[in-house]
Structure formats: structure tokens, C-alpha cells
Amino acid sequence: MLTNPVYAALTCAHATFAEIRGDVRRYPAAMAPFLALPDVPTEQDWADAAALLGSGTTGALMRPALAVPDSFKVEVEIDLLQFLAPASLPAADPETVVLGADDVPDMLALVALTDPGPFRSRTIELGTYLGIRRDGDLIAMAGTRFALPGHTEISAVCTHPSYQGQGLASRLIRAVAAHITAAGQTPFLHTGGGNTTAIRLYKSLGFTLSNEMQVTVVEAV
């Protein structure tokens, strides 16, 4: 299940959000760019994926690398690492606040500055997002995204460039983990294989590598 987290989420906790054709799922574009196929996709699954995406629209697969048929153009391939959190990680933080719909413009502005990964106008609906504000400005945030049986993903970890190096990301990761474990779930997360700063941070917090993944952005041709 952890090796196909988008599919697991869209067939379980996020099933009500799923756009569906056959056994293929995708998130609404305003939520996330992700497309999901079964663990072992068939020719019919790939045909359904092409129909679900439609002409000129891309979808991002997040799973261990797989062969993409000639009926799709591969736009981007990004190495991704998946990490599981240690039991010692969770720690509530009194400075964090739960972010809501009114905070989305500030969240999108922070994401534009820091590029933590896909975050769109409706991404906040996928989970609980926490932020830290100083003098009214949102300076750091993190939240939950993919929800699988037994596991919930920490996502959108980012800090305004003017406040980096103060340990805010670590505090938010721990605070989000506290929300996840309070619900009886195990936190996990993903980062780019070349993001040495994030990898170093996650390892310092005790995260352990669980899977080597790939984000493959495809377009039907």
C-alpha cells in the first residue's frame, strides 16, 4: 500500500474526491495533480487513464518506477524517497495554529516562495494543515495529505526564506505527527531524491527510508 499511496488514498479515505474511470483514479485538478493506477496496471487501465486525463492534460504518478506505454508522453521523471516516522517524533507545539479556507491565499503565497511540492487551491481539503504566524504573516506550515489505512502522509513542509534555520520545519513536522498519531496512524512523508537538505532533516528526526519512488508526469498522446 505504501508503494502506491495515491491509489490507496483514492480508494479509501479520499474515495469521495476521486475522479474515476474503470479502476483508475485521479484527484480533481484543483486539489492535486496525481493520477493513480492499480499496482499492476493492465492495457485497459492505461486506456482508462488516457480517457480520464483527456487530451492535453498531464497526470503525476507517484510510485516505484514503472514502464509507461507508448500511448503516453513522459513529461518529467523525478526520483522520490519515502520515509517512515519514528515513534518518538510527535510533539505538540503551542505556537502552531490550524489553517483553514481563509488562510489559503497566504498558504499559496508561501508555497510559491518555497516550492515544497504540489499545493493548490483545494489541497487544504485533503487533511489538517498547521501554520506558524508572526506579526500576522504566515511564515511556516505543514500538513497531512494522503491518508491510507494505518498511515497518513506529512506534506507541504515549508518555511519562509527569512525564517529558515530556526527549526520551524522540525517543530511543524512534530506537531503534525502528533495529530496523526492521536488518530492512531503512523506518519510518513516523501521528498525528492536530490533534496539533501530535507533528507538530512528527516534523518535527524529519526525517519527511516521505506521505499524508493518516482514521480512520473505523463500526458496521453
Side-chain angles (χ1 to χ4, degrees), residues 25 32 46 67 95 99 147 153 155 158 169 189 194 216:
R25 308 285 188 272
W46 284 111
E95 193 179 6
L99 300 173
E153 183 200 29
S155 182
C158 55
L189 51 74
T216 307

Side-chain angles (χ1 to χ4, degrees), residues 7 19-27 33-38 41-61 63 66-69 71-73 216-221:
Y7 193 80
E19 297 178 357
I20 301 170
R21 187 177 177 99
D23 290 329
V24 179
R25 308 285 188 272
R26 66 172 292 191
Y27 282 101
F34 297 108
L35 171 72
L37 285 77
T42 64
E43 288 186 12
Q44 184 60 53
D45 291 331
W46 284 111
D48 288 338
L52 187 59
L53 284 178
S55 177
T57 303
T58 60
L61 301 166
R63 51 187 294 162
L66 80 167
V68 176
S71 54
F72 283 83
K73 177 183 177 182
T216 307
V217 179
V218 298
E219 178 183 351
V221 296

Side-chain angles (χ1 to χ4, degrees), residues 168-187:
L168 299 180
S170 296
R171 288 170 53 191
L172 279 161
I173 290 168
R174 291 184 181 278
V176 172
H179 279 258
I180 294 171
T181 56
Q185 301 283 95
T186 298

Side-chain angles (χ1 to χ4, degrees), residues 27-34 59-62 78 80 107-108 111-112 114-124 126 129 141 144-146 153-158 190 215 217:
Y27 282 101
M31 283 186 169
F34 297 108
L61 301 166
M62 179 190 284
I78 303 170
L80 202 69
M107 298 169 79
L108 291 171
V111 166
T114 57
D115 192 24
F119 188 92
R120 298 179 173 180
S121 60
R122 292 183 59 199
T123 303
I124 195 170
L126 300 180
Y129 287 81
M141 74 174 195
T144 60
R145 187 172 60 180
F146 303 140
E153 183 200 29
I154 299 173
S155 182
V157 181
C158 55
H190 300 92
V215 172
V217 179

